[in-house]
Amino acid sequence: MDQPQQENDSTARQPHAAATFALSRTDVAVIGLVCIGIGVALGFFLPALGSFAATFPIPFGDVIEKLSRFDQAWVVIARPIIGGVLGIISAFFIVASSTPLVIDEHGITVGRDDDHPLRISRASFSTAYFDGGKLTILTSGGHQAYKGDVEGKKTAIAEAFTSRGYRWGEI
């Protein structure tokens, strides 16, 4: 009696894992370190920067120059610390303003799970493309569901859409 042959698993269509485009922990750490470093450096070099800025006709140039001339010991110590704190705050806002993108077999999610993300099902999806550097996603009714910045390289995002069978268009 003949045994039925089983399909080779490698030839059967395997579902793709979800493609996630978001800042990694390393990216967040680098952004944080760069922002803190810039803040500390600006705090440290404030006197030189203030004197240099005062040579140009900028608003409040004389005020900036006077503030940069404070040279008490506690001010010299506090400036880099305040710059570092402002760097941490800047890094937080930069990381919080990034928009993650998840593309899987069932739909697309734009945004963070804790911040009311936009979810577009495969059935309501029409096409996606980059327009002016911003990802644009259209629904099957022709409505623009999303247009904005997302994390990730354009080519990798386009590949993630097309490899999962989503329609990708170029403008």
Side-chain angles (χ1 to χ4, degrees):
M1 184 168 236
D2 290 339
Q3 297 278 346
Q5 291 184 343
Q6 294 179 345
E7 285 187 12
N8 185 352
D9 287 342
S10 63
T11 61
R13 183 168 180 236
Q14 297 292 328
H16 294 282
T20 302
F21 299 94
L23 292 176
S24 67
R25 291 180 191 250
T26 304
D27 295 335
V28 172
V30 168
I31 290 169
L33 289 174
V34 167
C35 288
I36 292 169
I38 290 172
V40 169
L42 285 175
F44 185 74
F45 293 113
L46 183 64
L49 292 173
S51 299
F52 178 72
T55 61
F56 296 102
I58 60 172
F60 308 108
D62 54 337
V63 175
I64 293 170
E65 183 180 19
K66 287 178 184 174
L67 287 174
S68 66
R69 291 186 189 265
F70 286 118
D71 60 354
Q72 291 86 6
W74 70 272
V75 174
V76 171
I77 294 170
R79 278 193 313 246
I81 293 171
I82 292 170
V85 170
L86 292 175
I88 291 171
I89 293 169
S90 298
F92 173 77
F93 281 112
I94 290 170
V95 170
S97 69
S98 70
T99 306
L101 172 68
V102 178
I103 305 165
D104 64 21
E105 299 292 328
H106 307 290
I108 301 151
T109 304
V110 181
R112 290 183 177 74
D113 286 333
D114 60 349
D115 193 26
H116 306 292
L118 172 65
R119 288 187 170 84
I120 303 166
S121 68
R122 181 180 276 283
S124 65
F125 174 85
S126 172
T127 190
Y129 56 91
F130 278 103
D131 182 20
K134 297 189 182 293
L135 177 66
T136 304
I137 301 173
L138 302 177
T139 63
S140 56
H143 299 288
Q144 182 175 301
Y146 180 77
K147 181 171 186 174
D149 294 323
V150 292
E151 292 302 317
K153 294 183 179 182
K154 292 179 181 182
T155 55
I157 291 172
E159 171 62 26
F161 274 100
T162 57
S163 68
R164 287 164 182 78
Y166 290 102
R167 185 170 171 229
W168 181 260
E170 293 287 333
I171 287 189

